[in-house]
Amino acid sequence: MQVEIDVPTPVSELTVPARSTALLLIDLQNESCQLGGQNYHPECPSAVTATAELVDRAHAEGCPIIWFRSVRRADQAVFTTFGVQPYRLEGTWNVEITPPLQPADGEAVFDKYSHDCFCDTGLDAYLAEQGIRAPEWTVVVAGVALPGCVYVAATGLSHR
């Protein structure tokens, strides 16, 4: 079975208020973004370069940045029940955030064990503690796997 998802046409320019904008970065990890990664995608290096520029701009403007790493444990059902070859295993090179990206001291870094950055991660509580809530705030979501984890993050934010 194949599922098709309509993706909006990318916007070439977007202006948001820096003092009330947060940046949520999803799954910019070695596994997908570095040669030798189990799920390497050739388009990832250009996404990493663009994201690095976005991170630099966010830092310059003082925007909070929230990082997510997609990790898995070998005992998760996706591997034990469904027989999928293990990937993104906790504690491996594959799950590390890919260079040149690097969270700055004090920036939030969350691990997620599913496609959903809100599922058992503490993100809801963190956003509340930081006062990041709609409609006062804009959250820009960037990352790899647009039809998967990035889409789930944007949808989760829209529900909140």
Side-chain angles (χ1 to χ4, degrees):
M1 178 165 90
Q2 184 175 5
V3 177
E4 293 188 25
I5 298 173
D6 289 329
V7 177
T9 303
V11 176
S12 62
E13 190 172 317
L14 176 68
T15 303
V16 293
R19 62 176 158 43
S20 60
T21 298
L23 181 57
L24 185 68
L25 300 177
I26 307 290
D27 301 350
L28 292 150
Q29 298 165 249
N30 289 333
E31 178 156 310
S32 298
C33 300
Q34 291 290 326
L35 278 173
Q38 186 174 337
N39 292 312
Y40 175 72
H41 298 285
E43 61 276 1
C44 280
S46 62
V48 169
T49 299
T51 302
E53 292 172 9
L54 185 59
V55 166
D56 288 345
R57 290 175 62 194
H59 282 151
E61 295 294 334
C63 299
I65 301 176
I66 305 163
W67 300 80
F68 269 91
R69 300 183 323 155
S70 183
V71 298
R72 302 293 183 268
R73 292 182 302 271
D75 66 350
Q76 284 185 258
V78 67
F79 309 130
T80 60
T81 302
F82 300 109
V84 173
Q85 180 70 27
Y87 62 96
R88 292 193 181 105
L89 291 177
E90 207 168 34
T92 65
W93 170 86
N94 287 317
V95 301
E96 297 306 316
I97 294 170
T98 197
L101 300 172
Q102 184 64 41
D105 289 340
E107 288 180 340
V109 179
F110 292 88
D111 286 344
K112 61 184 180 66
Y113 293 87
S114 72
H115 298 303
D116 185 355
C117 63
F118 287 96
C119 181
D120 298 323
T121 63
L123 180 58
D124 278 314
Y126 178 81
L127 294 174
E129 289 166 7
Q130 301 301 310
I132 299 171
R133 62 185 153 273
E136 298 87 13
W137 278 77
T138 299
V139 179
V140 175
V141 181
V144 296
L146 178 61
C149 297
V150 173
Y151 177 78
V152 172
T155 300
L157 287 162
S158 75
H159 288 226
R160 289 161 173 85

